[in-house]
Amino acid sequence: MTRAPENLIESTIQAWGAVRERGPLVQCLTNAVVTGFTANVLLALGAAPAMVDIPDEAGAFARIASGVLVNLGTPGSEQREAMREAVAAARDAGTPWVLDPVAIGVLPVRTALAAELAAAGPAVVRGNASEIIALDGSGAGGRGVDATDGVEDAVAAARRIAQATGAIVAVSGAVDVVTDGAREVRLGNGDALLTRVTGGGCALGAVMAAFAGVDEDRLAAVIAAVTVYNVAAEVAAERSAGPGGFAVAFLDALAGLDADMVRSRAVIA
């Protein structure tokens, strides 16, 4: 049975406190466009980023990391090999890892890789609605990294992916949906300025890896990650005139967030 919203808010605050207290080490095999922003987001959150994404190192590092992000934004041949190595090592070591199937559907290399990695048992899959539908095989993807489908249109696909892989699946949008294949939770925080900053979605995958590294309740961990991230986005948007200021204010908001802000703002249903 899904926890009551007020209990999910309290578990969110506890998980967020654990991230700050324990400083989980997050290995990011991510796209070249977002590495700096992703690292800064993790640091502001209280986690420790490590962009270890070359063969012969990626697997060894995945064994000692608290969590691993595998983001398919710019999957060159060397990075693809490192991703496979990291995923195999993470599975062997029991390290939770997050799959972000960026821009899959029409593009053949990343689409095939996403299907291969999804079959390897991620702890979490995160994507926009079109990416989730494409990963399910029931659609052709969106317009590059942008979704052309609504979040609710992707719920059935997300549920099937969760059931097939054992992962928690998070569909990002105006209202995020998180499912374990049997239950869905809807999260209503966030701000549209996140979509106008490069890495706004990709960094969330790294945050999910951080939370999964400190909370064995994967559903609660993903709900916590999305809620904290999106509450910080709301705070930042109130202090910003546009995307440039927002990017800086977002890091400040993540670093300065407190339990009362989360408790008063969180929208979980």
Side-chain angles (χ1 to χ4, degrees):
M1 182 175 180
T2 304
R3 296 179 190 176
E6 59 271 19
N7 292 335
L8 287 170
I9 292 171
E10 291 307 313
S11 67
T12 290
I13 292 167
Q14 290 171 11
W16 169 64
V19 170
R20 286 195 165 177
E21 179 181 349
R22 293 164 57 180
L25 178 61
V26 181
Q27 180 182 7
C28 300
L29 298 93
T30 192
N31 75 75
V33 182
V34 305
T35 50
F37 185 74
T38 299
N40 285 335
V41 164
L42 288 172
L43 288 168
L45 184 71
M51 276 49 186
V52 182
D53 66 348
I54 63 173
D56 300 325
E57 290 186 355
F61 203 89
R63 293 181 181 278
I64 63 171
S66 307
V68 177
L69 168 65
V70 177
N71 174 298
L72 306 188
T74 53
S77 57
E78 185 177 62
Q79 194 186 56
R80 295 199 301 272
E81 182 182 345
M83 287 174 175
R84 293 183 176 103
E85 182 182 301
V87 165
R91 289 186 64 190
D92 186 58
T95 306
W97 64 280
V98 176
L99 174 63
D100 191 339
V102 177
I104 67 167
V106 174
L107 299 172
V109 172
R110 72 188 64 218
T111 301
L113 181 61
E116 175 189 338
L117 295 177
V124 181
V125 175
R126 188 217 78 85
N128 65 37
S130 295
E131 290 161 349
I132 295 302
I133 291 170
L135 186 61
D136 176 58
S138 51
R143 188 184 64 175
V145 299
D146 297 324
T148 54
D149 299 282
V151 170
E152 291 301 323
D153 297 328
V155 171
R159 191 183 300 123
R160 287 191 292 268
I161 293 168
Q163 292 167 349
T165 65
I168 303 301
V169 179
V171 188
S172 295
V175 174
D176 300 271
V177 174
V178 179
T179 182
D180 63 1
R183 304 165 289 178
E184 284 91 42
V185 178
R186 285 165 175 80
L187 309 174
N189 295 104
D191 191 273
L193 279 172
L194 269 174
T195 66
R196 298 180 64 193
V197 174
T198 298
C202 295
L204 177 55
V207 171
M208 290 177 178
F211 275 82
V214 301
D215 192 341
E216 293 184 358
D217 184 337
R218 303 291 187 230
L219 182 65
V222 174
I223 290 167
V226 174
T227 300
V228 167
Y229 196 82
N230 285 343
V231 166
E234 290 180 354
V235 173
E238 292 168 2
R239 303 171 180 173
S240 308
F246 173 81
V248 175
F250 181 56
L251 297 177
D252 290 343
L254 278 171
L257 208 61
D258 62 38
D260 287 340
M261 288 181 185
V262 176
R263 194 174 283 115
S264 64
R265 288 176 177 263
V267 178
I268 300 176

PDB file of all heavy atoms in Angstrom, residues 15 44 63 67 73 79 98 129 134 142 160 181 234 253:
ATOM      1  N   ALA A  15      15.251  11.127   4.089  1.00  0.00           N
ATOM      2  CA  ALA A  15      16.203  10.713   3.058  1.00  0.00           C
ATOM      3  C   ALA A  15      17.111  11.863   2.666  1.00  0.00           C
ATOM      4  O   ALA A  15      18.324  11.684   2.475  1.00  0.00           O
ATOM      5  CB  ALA A  15      15.451  10.185   1.833  1.00  0.00           C
ATOM      6  N   ALA A  44      25.946  20.868  -4.329  1.00  0.00           N
ATOM      7  CA  ALA A  44      24.999  21.711  -3.601  1.00  0.00           C
ATOM      8  C   ALA A  44      24.068  20.872  -2.734  1.00  0.00           C
ATOM      9  O   ALA A  44      23.694  21.282  -1.624  1.00  0.00           O
ATOM     10  CB  ALA A  44      24.198  22.557  -4.588  1.00  0.00           C
ATOM     11  N   ARG A  63      31.966  -0.235  -8.124  1.00  0.00           N
ATOM     12  CA  ARG A  63      31.958  -1.125  -6.955  1.00  0.00           C
ATOM     13  C   ARG A  63      32.074  -0.353  -5.639  1.00  0.00           C
ATOM     14  O   ARG A  63      31.654  -0.855  -4.593  1.00  0.00           O
ATOM     15  CB  ARG A  63      33.101  -2.140  -7.061  1.00  0.00           C
ATOM     16  CG  ARG A  63      32.925  -3.126  -8.198  1.00  0.00           C
ATOM     17  CD  ARG A  63      34.065  -4.127  -8.263  1.00  0.00           C
ATOM     18  NE  ARG A  63      33.893  -5.046  -9.363  1.00  0.00           N
ATOM     19  CZ  ARG A  63      33.112  -6.134  -9.317  1.00  0.00           C
ATOM     20  NH1 ARG A  63      32.473  -6.436  -8.204  1.00  0.00           N
ATOM     21  NH2 ARG A  63      32.994  -6.904 -10.369  1.00  0.00           N
ATOM     22  N   GLY A  67      26.089   5.236  -5.582  1.00  0.00           N
ATOM     23  CA  GLY A  67      25.096   5.133  -6.639  1.00  0.00           C
ATOM     24  C   GLY A  67      25.741   5.496  -7.962  1.00  0.00           C
ATOM     25  O   GLY A  67      26.777   6.165  -7.996  1.00  0.00           O
ATOM     26  N   GLY A  73      22.968  10.617 -23.099  1.00  0.00           N
ATOM     27  CA  GLY A  73      22.890  11.841 -23.883  1.00  0.00           C
ATOM     28  C   GLY A  73      23.881  11.948 -25.020  1.00  0.00           C
ATOM     29  O   GLY A  73      23.544  12.405 -26.117  1.00  0.00           O
ATOM     30  N   GLN A  79      32.495   5.518 -24.203  1.00  0.00           N
ATOM     31  CA  GLN A  79      31.598   5.644 -23.057  1.00  0.00           C
ATOM     32  C   GLN A  79      30.594   4.494 -23.018  1.00  0.00           C
ATOM     33  O   GLN A  79      30.233   4.019 -21.936  1.00  0.00           O
ATOM     34  CB  GLN A  79      30.871   6.986 -23.077  1.00  0.00           C
ATOM     35  CG  GLN A  79      30.188   7.285 -21.732  1.00  0.00           C
ATOM     36  CD  GLN A  79      29.341   8.534 -21.770  1.00  0.00           C
ATOM     37  OE1 GLN A  79      28.430   8.656 -22.600  1.00  0.00           O
ATOM     38  NE2 GLN A  79      29.610   9.473 -20.871  1.00  0.00           N
ATOM     39  N   VAL A  98      21.034   4.203 -11.962  1.00  0.00           N
ATOM     40  CA  VAL A  98      19.911   4.891 -12.607  1.00  0.00           C
ATOM     41  C   VAL A  98      20.161   4.934 -14.109  1.00  0.00           C
ATOM     42  O   VAL A  98      21.242   5.326 -14.558  1.00  0.00           O
ATOM     43  CB  VAL A  98      19.778   6.329 -12.067  1.00  0.00           C
ATOM     44  CG1 VAL A  98      18.676   7.085 -12.794  1.00  0.00           C
ATOM     45  CG2 VAL A  98      19.529   6.317 -10.561  1.00  0.00           C
ATOM     46  N   ALA A 129       8.192  11.706 -20.914  1.00  0.00           N
ATOM     47  CA  ALA A 129       7.128  10.793 -21.337  1.00  0.00           C
ATOM     48  C   ALA A 129       7.471  10.076 -22.638  1.00  0.00           C
ATOM     49  O   ALA A 129       7.275   8.855 -22.765  1.00  0.00           O
ATOM     50  CB  ALA A 129       5.825  11.568 -21.487  1.00  0.00           C
ATOM     51  N   ALA A 134       9.096   5.204 -25.607  1.00  0.00           N
ATOM     52  CA  ALA A 134      10.017   4.577 -26.557  1.00  0.00           C
ATOM     53  C   ALA A 134      10.730   3.396 -25.924  1.00  0.00           C
ATOM     54  O   ALA A 134      10.935   2.357 -26.575  1.00  0.00           O
ATOM     55  CB  ALA A 134      11.033   5.603 -27.061  1.00  0.00           C
ATOM     56  N   GLY A 142      10.482  11.356 -28.801  1.00  0.00           N
ATOM     57  CA  GLY A 142      10.021  12.722 -28.956  1.00  0.00           C
ATOM     58  C   GLY A 142      10.799  13.486 -30.004  1.00  0.00           C
ATOM     59  O   GLY A 142      11.313  12.916 -30.968  1.00  0.00           O
ATOM     60  N   ARG A 160       4.697  -0.930 -17.159  1.00  0.00           N
ATOM     61  CA  ARG A 160       5.216  -2.158 -17.789  1.00  0.00           C
ATOM     62  C   ARG A 160       6.735  -2.251 -17.631  1.00  0.00           C
ATOM     63  O   ARG A 160       7.276  -3.344 -17.383  1.00  0.00           O
ATOM     64  CB  ARG A 160       4.828  -2.189 -19.268  1.00  0.00           C
ATOM     65  CG  ARG A 160       3.360  -2.486 -19.514  1.00  0.00           C
ATOM     66  CD  ARG A 160       3.083  -2.763 -20.984  1.00  0.00           C
ATOM     67  NE  ARG A 160       3.261  -1.587 -21.822  1.00  0.00           N
ATOM     68  CZ  ARG A 160       2.284  -0.734 -22.128  1.00  0.00           C
ATOM     69  NH1 ARG A 160       1.056  -0.914 -21.657  1.00  0.00           N
ATOM     70  NH2 ARG A 160       2.522   0.299 -22.925  1.00  0.00           N
ATOM     71  N   GLY A 181       5.394  -0.209 -10.626  1.00  0.00           N
ATOM     72  CA  GLY A 181       4.705  -1.216 -11.428  1.00  0.00           C
ATOM     73  C   GLY A 181       3.349  -1.587 -10.885  1.00  0.00           C
ATOM     74  O   GLY A 181       2.509  -2.115 -11.622  1.00  0.00           O
ATOM     75  N   GLU A 234      11.400  25.568  -7.415  1.00  0.00           N
ATOM     76  CA  GLU A 234      10.390  26.591  -7.129  1.00  0.00           C
ATOM     77  C   GLU A 234      10.991  27.768  -6.365  1.00  0.00           C
ATOM     78  O   GLU A 234      10.720  28.930  -6.683  1.00  0.00           O
ATOM     79  CB  GLU A 234       9.254  25.973  -6.315  1.00  0.00           C
ATOM     80  CG  GLU A 234       8.388  25.009  -7.088  1.00  0.00           C
ATOM     81  CD  GLU A 234       7.277  24.421  -6.242  1.00  0.00           C
ATOM     82  OE1 GLU A 234       7.244  24.666  -5.017  1.00  0.00           O
ATOM     83  OE2 GLU A 234       6.434  23.704  -6.816  1.00  0.00           O
ATOM     84  N   ALA A 253      19.568  27.342  -3.869  1.00  0.00           N
ATOM     85  CA  ALA A 253      18.360  26.812  -3.227  1.00  0.00           C
ATOM     86  C   ALA A 253      18.570  25.380  -2.745  1.00  0.00           C
ATOM     87  O   ALA A 253      18.126  25.018  -1.652  1.00  0.00           O
ATOM     88  CB  ALA A 253      17.181  26.883  -4.195  1.00  0.00           C
TER      89      ALA A 253
END
